[in-house]
Amino acid sequence: MPLTDPALQRRKLRDRLRRLRESAGFTQRQVADEMEWSLSKIIRIETGTVGISITDLRALIGYYGVGDPAESNTLIGMARAAKERPWWDRYRGKADPAFLLSLGYEGAASIMRSFEPSLVPGLLQTEEYALEVLRVMEAPEVEALVELRLERQERLLRPDGPEMHFIIDESVITRAVASASVMRRQIRRLKTFVDHPKITLRILPFGSGLHKRYKTPYVLYEFEDAEEDFVLYLEQDTQSIIREGQGWADSDAPARFLESFFGIEQLARKDAAEGLLDLALSRHSAPTVELPDQAKGSRTEVVVSVPAASAKNAQPDQSDGVVSPDTLETP
C-alpha cells in the first residue's frame, strides 16, 4: 500500500475542497465573502500553500452542503493528517526543498516512472556510489543525504511498495564512477532488480540514437485516485522543479513527459537489460595497467578493453579505441 504523507494529504484535501466548491456552484469570491475571509485565503487553501484549521474546514463543509458524515470525517481526517510532520522532516535544511516535497509524492504514488540519462537513479544506488556522486556534486551534508537516500530505498523497495519503472541510458553503466570496483558492485546491484516483482529496469542502448528530452532526468508520479493529476519532478543543475495539474505550456506539461517516457520504452527492451548489464560488468572487469602521470607525478589506472586470451597479440586499433598492452610503456 502507498505510504501517506502530510504534503499529499494537503494536496488531496485542497483538490477535494475545490471540487466541492465547483459542484456547489460557488466562486472563490462568494466563498470568501460568506466566510468573511480575504480572497487570498481561499486561493491559498485551494492551491495548498497554506493549511486549513478544523474550525474553518467544518464551516466550509457546511457551506458546501456536504451531508454525508463519512465524507465529512474523511475531509477532517485529511486536515489532521496534513498537520503532522513528515518522516523526512529532520532533513530540512540539508536537502533541496523541492526534492523533499517530492518525497511525499514518491511515498504516496502507486506508480513511479523515472528516466535518468547520466546517473544510476538514487533509489537503485549503492551507498559507495551515492557517496561519490554527492562528493563530486559538492553537496552539503553528504553523510546526511546518503542516509536519506538509503532510508528512501528501505521504505520503497519492499514487497508492497509502488510499481516502479526505471529507464537509464547505457552510458550510466559504462562510465566509471569512483572506480571499476565500485561500478562492478553497482552493476551487480542493478542486476538484482532485473526480475524484481515491483520494478522494471530498462537500459537505453547507444544504438537507439537521440530521442525527446534525451538530456533531461525526470520522475513521474501516478496515484491510485484517477482524479489526481500526474506529478512531474525535474532535477536540474541549479534547481529542482515540481509540476502538477494543467496550468503549464503544452511542451512542459507532465502529460508530455509521460508520452516521452512511453516512447523511450519502445527503444529500451526490457529483455535486453541483463545482457547490457553483463557487458558493462565485463568492461569494468577488464585488465588494468598503471601509467605514470607526468604532470603530477602520480599513477593513473587505465582500463584496457582487450580479451585476456588475445591480449598478447593485440594491435592498436584507432577505429574502436582498443589499445594493446604491448604498446604501453610501463615504468
Side-chain angles (χ1 to χ4, degrees):
M1 293 293 292
L3 300 172
T4 58
D5 184 274
L8 259 294
Q9 294 302 312
R10 179 181 293 181
R11 178 178 185 262
K12 293 176 70 173
L13 179 60
R14 66 137 201 239
D15 289 345
R16 292 279 285 274
L17 291 176
R18 175 179 53 79
R19 290 197 295 267
L20 285 171
R21 175 182 59 77
E22 292 173 347
S23 297
F26 298 132
T27 65
Q28 290 177 325
R29 170 63 71 183
Q30 288 174 315
V31 174
D33 290 344
E34 178 65 24
M35 298 292 108
E36 297 183 345
W37 296 344
S38 66
L39 178 60
S40 63
K41 178 175 178 176
I42 187 66
I43 291 174
R44 290 197 301 272
I45 289 172
E46 290 193 359
T47 57
T49 55
V50 298
I52 183 171
S53 69
I54 301 300
T55 300
D56 286 346
L57 178 58
R58 291 186 190 278
L60 279 182
I61 288 173
Y63 184 53
Y64 293 159
V66 178
D68 183 356
E71 184 173 6
S72 297
N73 290 335
T74 297
L75 293 170
I76 292 171
M78 287 181 183
R80 287 179 173 145
K83 296 179 183 297
E84 297 177 0
R85 289 185 179 275
W87 68 266
W88 44 260
D89 189 68
R90 65 183 180 277
Y91 296 104
R92 289 186 190 275
K94 300 178 181 180
D96 181 87
F99 171 71
L100 290 177
L101 180 58
S102 78
L103 299 184
Y105 298 122
E106 179 180 89
S110 58
I111 301 176
M112 287 175 50
R113 297 178 177 90
S114 169
F115 172 67
E116 178 54 70
S118 304
L119 297 169
V120 172
L123 286 171
L124 308 183
Q125 290 178 4
T126 62
E127 182 174 356
E128 58 187 348
Y129 184 101
L131 275 168
E132 177 66 7
V133 169
L134 293 167
R135 184 192 67 79
V136 171
M137 293 172 62
E138 299 182 340
E141 306 283 353
V142 169
E143 290 186 2
L145 294 178
V146 171
E147 178 186 296
L148 170 58
R149 194 156 298 187
L150 296 178
E151 186 168 355
R152 289 171 60 211
Q153 294 177 3
E154 185 178 346
R155 286 173 168 271
L156 294 175
L157 303 179
R158 62 190 199 281
D160 62 340
E163 181 183 323
M164 292 181 279
H165 302 276
F166 296 95
I167 303 177
I168 61 176
D169 191 83
E170 187 176 358
S171 62
V172 172
I173 55 175
T174 304
R175 179 184 299 107
V177 172
S179 69
S181 59
V182 168
M183 285 305 300
R184 288 195 295 271
R185 287 187 286 272
Q186 176 62 73
I187 292 170
R188 291 189 186 108
R189 175 171 170 79
L190 291 176
K191 283 171 66 67
T192 66
F193 297 115
V194 169
D195 296 318
H196 194 285
K198 304 289 288 190
I199 293 174
T200 297
L201 176 63
R202 297 172 185 263
I203 300 172
L204 189 66
F206 289 131
S208 63
L210 297 180
H211 53 87
K212 285 186 177 180
R213 302 181 175 89
Y214 69 95
K215 295 191 297 183
T216 305
Y218 57 88
V219 183
L220 288 155
Y221 304 107
E222 183 177 345
F223 306 95
E224 286 183 333
D225 188 343
E227 294 185 343
E228 291 192 57
D229 293 322
F230 285 91
V231 174
L232 169 68
Y233 174 70
L234 295 167
E235 195 166 41
Q236 300 179 338
D237 290 339
T238 58
Q239 63 178 335
S240 300
I241 299 172
I242 290 178
R243 294 176 183 162
E244 56 180 303
Q246 308 298 321
W248 302 98
D250 185 65
S251 60
D252 295 330
R256 299 289 80 79
F257 280 79
L258 182 62
E259 290 175 1
S260 294
F261 191 89
F262 288 153
I264 300 171
E265 277 189 328
Q266 304 305 308
L267 301 173
R269 288 172 31 218
K270 180 183 175 182
D271 60 2
E274 188 166 17
L276 289 170
L277 289 170
D278 286 337
L279 177 61
L281 192 59
S282 68
R283 287 170 175 159
H284 293 293
S285 301
T288 62
V289 296
E290 289 186 344
L291 293 176
D293 184 333
Q294 300 296 338
K296 298 181 181 179
S298 61
R299 304 177 77 84
T300 303
E301 183 181 63
V302 178
V303 176
V304 183
S305 301
V306 179
S310 59
K312 184 175 180 180
N313 299 320
Q315 298 297 321
D317 185 343
Q318 300 301 323
S319 65
D320 61 9
V322 175
V323 182
S324 167
D326 294 341
T327 68
L328 298 174
E329 296 182 2
T330 57

